[in-house]
Amino acid sequence: MHQNYSDEKTGISYTLVGDYYLPDLTAPDGDSEIGRFGRMHLRFLKEHKRVAYLELFSSGRLNAYLRDIDIPAQEMFDRLVKEYAEHQGVTEQLKADNQMEWVGRMNNIRNAVQEVVLAEIVYL
């Protein structure tokens, strides 16, 4: 009995596991690199743009597309958080002097910036 089997028609190889031949399938590299904005956009596609989602999924381009959304969205988020904090005077000195106020103000900034990023990039 063969441990490995390759179907010449499909090009898929199989490995004997117990009594069954299971296909040797692996996900392409980098599939797990999709961040929170990419995952939010995925949910948006599934719920509101089903045809686009199915086309990207069936063509195998979904993960690359989601990374192309996630990376600029995260960069925009990081940049705007820094800019908002500087504009509103939320500094390391405030963090040292009054940590609770700093946390509250930074949470407000992050929430506001997230709404901007969602509106500008993720939910289009």
Side-chain angles (χ1 to χ4, degrees), residues 28-41:
D29 290 338
D31 284 352
S32 62
E33 296 175 13
I34 299 168
R36 69 178 169 148
F37 292 114
R39 290 189 305 272
M40 288 176 173
H41 188 69

Side-chain angles (χ1 to χ4, degrees), residues 82-102:
K82 183 178 179 184
E83 288 176 10
Y84 280 39
E86 287 174 2
H87 180 72
Q88 295 180 22
V90 181
T91 63
E92 290 297 315
Q93 185 61 46
L94 175 63
K95 184 178 180 180
D97 294 344
N98 189 342
Q99 193 172 26
M100 291 306 292
E101 181 181 346
W102 181 87

Side-chain angles (χ1 to χ4, degrees), residues 53-102:
Y53 164 73
L54 291 172
E55 180 184 326
L56 288 164
F57 179 77
S58 63
S59 69
R61 297 178 297 148
L62 180 61
N63 288 326
Y65 172 79
L66 293 174
R67 279 191 299 277
D68 289 345
I69 295 292
D70 183 65
I71 292 169
Q74 186 62 51
E75 289 172 353
M76 181 181 187
F77 178 83
D78 295 340
R79 179 178 47 82
L80 288 177
V81 165
K82 183 178 179 184
E83 288 176 10
Y84 280 39
E86 287 174 2
H87 180 72
Q88 295 180 22
V90 181
T91 63
E92 290 297 315
Q93 185 61 46
L94 175 63
K95 184 178 180 180
D97 294 344
N98 189 342
Q99 193 172 26
M100 291 306 292
E101 181 181 346
W102 181 87

